[in-house]
Amino acid sequence: MGTVGQEAAIDLLKSEIPVEEDDPLLLTGDVNTGLVLVDIVNGFCTVGAGNLAPVTPNRQISAMVDESVKLAKVFCEKKWPIYALRDSHHPDVPEPPNPPHCIAGTDESELVPALQWLENEPNVTVRCKDCIDGFLGSIEKDGSNVFVNWVKANEIKTILVVGICTDICVLDFVCSVLSARNRGFLSPLKDLIVYSPGCATYDLPVQIARNIKGALPHPQEFMHHIGLYMAKGRGAKVVSHISFDTTTNET
């Protein structure tokens, strides 16, 4: 599909299944809000870093990292809670249908360089996960859930979610959290908000996928939109603009 045809197809998709965005988000500190960073690690974001990393610079992924860094800096300045998920797998435990990726102890499973400073921030909880869904990946061997405990300990009423991939790890996490909230497991959580410019997914055009055994086409703009649409349909709010209680901190 040529560029013109692809743009027309994306326009058609957005007209047939539009993502009706919510009002711009104003964060004043009056409502306890937590920031969740989903898998912003080298293995998914840094060019050439692994089997699932971009092979060339990618505008959507770079923008997602930039937006996430800006949010993380403001949250740390305000000492608001952050929950950072890092994909981290044991080398002998596969995650089909994906090839080996983000192996624990390698650079792939580390936060991208622009976010590595978070590891030393007192308001940040870093959780390594060995599955797609960060909610399930937060379960300990004794059955407790680190994410649930984080929500309750910080009395979080609103969660702001950014990360990669919009339609995979982000969406799975969003769906699980919303289900847990609806079942009353995450009190006092009320709202989950996906910040669309702070999310991204990978790009695998059909002309490339057809030459890779077992690969499924994954056009980036299509799947990013579908991920947002599915999250909205499950009960998340979706916003494209966030402002804080001072004019100097806007995204």
Side-chain angles (χ1 to χ4, degrees), residues 65-143:
V65 172
D66 290 344
E67 292 296 323
S68 299
V69 170
K70 287 193 288 186
L71 286 173
K73 286 181 177 178
V74 176
F75 269 70
C76 284
E77 288 171 2
K78 296 179 177 294
K79 297 180 171 56
W80 292 350
I82 296 176
Y83 194 79
L85 289 160
R86 285 174 41 195
D87 207 50
S88 183
H89 297 273
H90 190 282
D92 298 326
V93 181
E95 188 185 46
N98 299 309
H101 63 281
C102 298
I103 302 302
T106 69
D107 286 344
E108 280 191 59
S109 68
E110 298 290 334
L111 293 170
V112 295
L115 284 172
Q116 285 184 1
W117 55 273
L118 284 175
E119 299 274 358
N120 300 315
E121 294 294 323
N123 62 308
V124 178
T125 299
V126 178
R127 173 68 182 185
C128 291
K129 66 180 183 66
D130 59 359
C131 62
I132 293 172
D133 186 335
F135 184 85
L136 294 179
S138 295
I139 298 175
E140 298 278 41
K141 290 182 179 179
D142 63 4

Side-chain angles (χ1 to χ4, degrees), residues 16 107 116 138 153 155 183-184 220 240 246:
E16 291 294 318
D107 286 344
Q116 285 184 1
S138 295
E155 299 182 336
R183 289 292 309 279
Q220 186 177 50
S240 60
T246 65

Side-chain angles (χ1 to χ4, degrees), residues 210-248:
R210 65 165 56 105
N211 295 317
I212 303 174
K213 184 178 179 180
L216 294 175
H218 192 275
Q220 186 177 50
E221 290 295 331
F222 281 71
M223 300 311 295
H224 175 68
H225 180 81
I226 289 172
L228 296 173
Y229 178 82
M230 295 298 292
K232 179 79 173 180
R234 293 298 181 91
K237 294 181 178 180
V238 177
V239 303
S240 60
H241 184 78
I242 299 172
S243 59
F244 294 86
D245 53 1
T246 65
T247 56
T248 57

Side-chain angles (χ1 to χ4, degrees), residues 21-25 67 194-197 238-242 251:
E21 292 194 349
D22 293 270
D23 294 334
L25 178 63
E67 292 296 323
V194 177
Y195 177 48
S196 55
V238 177
V239 303
S240 60
H241 184 78
I242 299 172
T251 21

